[in-house]
Amino acid sequence: MSLSFPVELVLEVVQYLRFDPPALCSFSLVSQHLAQVCRQYLYHRIELKNAISLRDRYNQLLDSLEKNPSLTGYTSELRLYMGMQVERDFCLAFDEKLPRLLNLFHKIEKLTLTCQRHATIDYITESVEPPFARLFSLETLREVSIENVPMFPVALLQYAPHITYLHLSSVSLDPTRVFKLGPPLPTSGYLDSPFYLSLSTCRSDPVYVLTELLRNGGRLSHFCRRINKLFLKPREGKLSDIQPYLRFMETLSLVQKIGGATPPLKDLTLALDAADVEYEKLGPFLPTTITSFLLDVSVAGWTFEKYGPEAESFFSKLPKPWHHLRTFDFRLHASSMEATESTVPRLISVLDTRLSSRDFPALEECQCTIVFDQSWLKNDDTAAKIGMDGVVVTWELSD
């Protein structure tokens, strides 16, 4: 069948349907040309997710890709749910055909390995070590996310010199696992690439592992030395729970200063979920070389009489002078927090008092966003913006 529509119009229709796989499948049956166009969207992202029909979908996908291996050339994102409980007699991590599937991909840019919580998986088997090492070593691979995976072998990350983003969420790391493979590829030539590390809701163990690897110059140190963006979100917000994260940040700062070069860490986010953190104790751990700092705090049941002194104490204890800080963002998500219209001006007073040009000479932008529980506010406005001496406070209502 020949197309009677302009190519630009056909491509626009396909773009519109790119998030609707069933529609794309139907559209691809119109002609061979449309089938070629649709495939780049149908196979762009492959996700074997937690579903009752996982076994059937998995076998159908493997059969289709083995018969048409060129289809994997369209795949840039691969998300694998390694362990789950929907099909109790089937676990992707232990399936004997998994190595065959992994070996088919050669242009992956983003890789995610995740497990359902409480899934019956304790480790990654030796049979998938070579194909996983090959995936991690792809020159196209840039982003790796490991979520809810128990005892993930740190050694596997040695084979990924090209990645620029590593996200670890609710994982535990196995620093002792040794693969029966050849040595990983050398990392020289990639050490200048900026690196983004995200540690979210992990217990203390993996953070201690990363700190020791960094301190001793071992595996993963080539990543840590070039971290320019760092996101830290402890599982709990108590000071005892975030202490390992702060020690990691302190060690990172010291290691990056070795050799006298300018430390690459420029962007720092601390996301804390509890109201009982003694914020003034965070100050000594914050690197004064960063240029952008976001403090994201979620609290419940506070009044401003509690919040105000905590905020003022935090600002007063920050290391000063802070010559490089250009942007500061303070976000407060407050549920069940009693507040009135006077809260915002009082907060501005705190910020104006503490963020002086003498202590923060390079500061160009400071923004504070407070999201209140709507039911506790007397004011029904959706937002109120008040500025004073360059400080902007955005007052919002949650849905």
Side-chain angles (χ1 to χ4, degrees):
M1 171 182 177
S2 61
L3 290 175
S4 58
F5 297 101
V7 175
E8 294 79 5
L9 179 60
V10 173
L11 292 178
E12 186 172 343
V13 173
V14 174
Q15 280 277 352
Y16 180 79
L17 298 174
R18 67 186 184 277
F19 299 119
D20 189 346
L24 281 176
C25 288
S26 299
F27 204 55
S28 65
L29 298 176
V30 175
S31 70
Q32 184 64 30
H33 175 73
L34 284 178
Q36 289 291 109
V37 174
C38 291
R39 282 173 182 171
Q40 61 182 308
Y41 298 101
L42 284 170
Y43 291 92
H44 171 76
R45 181 176 186 265
I46 291 181
E47 180 177 9
L48 287 172
K49 60 183 180 180
N50 194 19
I52 296 177
S53 59
L54 174 65
R55 185 204 300 271
D56 293 337
R57 291 180 61 249
Y58 168 60
N59 289 327
Q60 291 172 3
L61 175 65
L62 178 60
D63 181 65
S64 175
L65 295 181
E66 286 187 327
K67 290 180 178 178
N68 303 277
S70 62
L71 295 177
T72 60
Y74 300 116
T75 307
S76 62
E77 183 176 350
L78 181 63
R79 186 179 182 94
L80 301 176
Y81 285 69
M82 302 298 293
M84 55 205 66
Q85 293 179 319
V86 172
E87 298 188 48
R88 296 186 180 276
D89 59 339
F90 177 76
C91 180
L92 183 63
F94 301 135
D95 187 80
E96 61 181 9
K97 298 186 294 295
L98 181 60
R100 288 164 48 192
L101 177 70
L102 297 179
N103 282 323
L104 291 170
F105 299 98
H106 55 278
K107 290 187 177 181
I108 301 298
E109 299 175 9
K110 183 177 181 180
L111 175 65
T112 300
L113 303 180
T114 186
C115 291
Q116 181 187 12
R117 293 185 183 276
H118 311 298
T120 55
I121 171 177
D122 297 322
Y123 58 91
I124 293 178
T125 61
E126 291 186 5
S127 63
V128 295
E129 287 179 3
F132 265 128
R134 189 194 65 82
L135 272 184
F136 274 68
S137 65
L138 290 177
E139 292 188 6
T140 56
L141 187 63
R142 292 295 179 268
E143 300 183 20
V144 172
S145 296
I146 314 296
E147 305 168 358
N148 300 321
V149 178
M151 299 305 291
F152 180 81
V154 172
L156 192 55
L157 294 173
Q158 294 181 95
Y159 294 85
H162 304 278
I163 66 174
T164 57
Y165 171 82
L166 176 62
H167 173 65
L168 302 177
S169 176
S170 301
V171 303
S172 58
L173 298 178
D174 182 0
T176 62
R177 180 90 171 265
V178 178
F179 289 172
K180 299 177 181 178
L181 305 171
L185 296 174
T187 58
S188 60
Y190 305 98
L191 297 181
D192 293 333
S193 302
F195 191 78
Y196 179 19
L197 176 64
S198 171
L199 299 176
S200 178
T201 61
C202 295
R203 295 189 182 277
S204 301
D205 294 351
V207 185
Y208 282 128
V209 169
L210 290 176
T211 303
E212 288 303 311
L213 291 175
L214 178 62
R215 180 180 291 118
N216 297 326
R219 293 167 293 186
L220 297 190
S221 63
H222 61 285
F223 292 131
C224 295
R225 291 177 185 274
R226 55 189 174 96
I227 292 175
N228 75 319
K229 189 173 183 179
L230 182 62
F231 175 90
L232 300 178
K233 182 180 181 180
R235 181 182 293 268
E236 302 290 345
K238 298 178 182 178
L239 189 62
S240 59
D241 295 308
I242 69 174
Q243 198 71 25
Y245 288 79
L246 299 178
R247 291 297 179 188
F248 170 76
M249 187 166 54
E250 184 181 46
T251 302
L252 173 64
S253 180
L254 292 174
V255 170
Q256 288 193 342
K257 289 180 180 178
I258 294 177
T262 302
L265 180 60
K266 300 298 181 183
D267 193 320
L268 173 64
T269 297
L270 285 180
L272 307 177
D273 292 330
D276 54 355
V277 174
E278 299 175 54
Y279 289 101
E280 74 271 13
K281 295 185 178 180
L282 299 179
F285 297 94
L286 301 180
T288 57
T289 55
I290 61 177
T291 59
S292 178
F293 179 40
L294 166 60
L295 180 61
D296 194 334
V297 182
S298 298
V299 299
W302 266 9
T303 62
F304 190 76
E305 283 66 30
K306 165 74 174 176
Y307 160 69
E310 286 280 357
E312 187 170 5
S313 179
F314 168 76
F315 290 118
S316 66
K317 297 294 184 179
L318 286 175
K320 295 182 285 288
W322 204 333
H323 294 289
H324 303 283
L325 188 65
R326 295 182 179 276
T327 62
F328 178 76
D329 195 348
F330 188 42
R331 300 178 188 174
L332 176 68
H333 303 268
S335 59
S336 301
M337 178 177 179
E338 297 185 22
T340 63
E341 291 84 348
S342 63
T343 300
V344 175
R346 292 168 67 188
L347 173 61
I348 291 178
S349 178
V350 170
L351 294 176
D352 274 345
T353 302
R354 297 302 174 184
L355 297 177
S356 66
S357 58
R358 180 189 60 188
D359 295 331
F360 302 91
L363 189 62
E364 299 174 351
E365 179 182 353
C366 173
Q367 180 160 321
C368 180
T369 303
I370 313 176
V371 182
F372 293 114
D373 187 321
Q374 187 171 9
S375 62
W376 286 80
L377 278 180
K378 296 180 181 179
N379 194 321
D380 291 332
D381 293 339
T382 56
K385 290 187 176 181
I386 305 175
M388 183 182 296
D389 295 340
V391 176
V392 177
V393 175
T394 304
W395 184 8
E396 299 177 351
L397 297 178
S398 59
D399 295 330

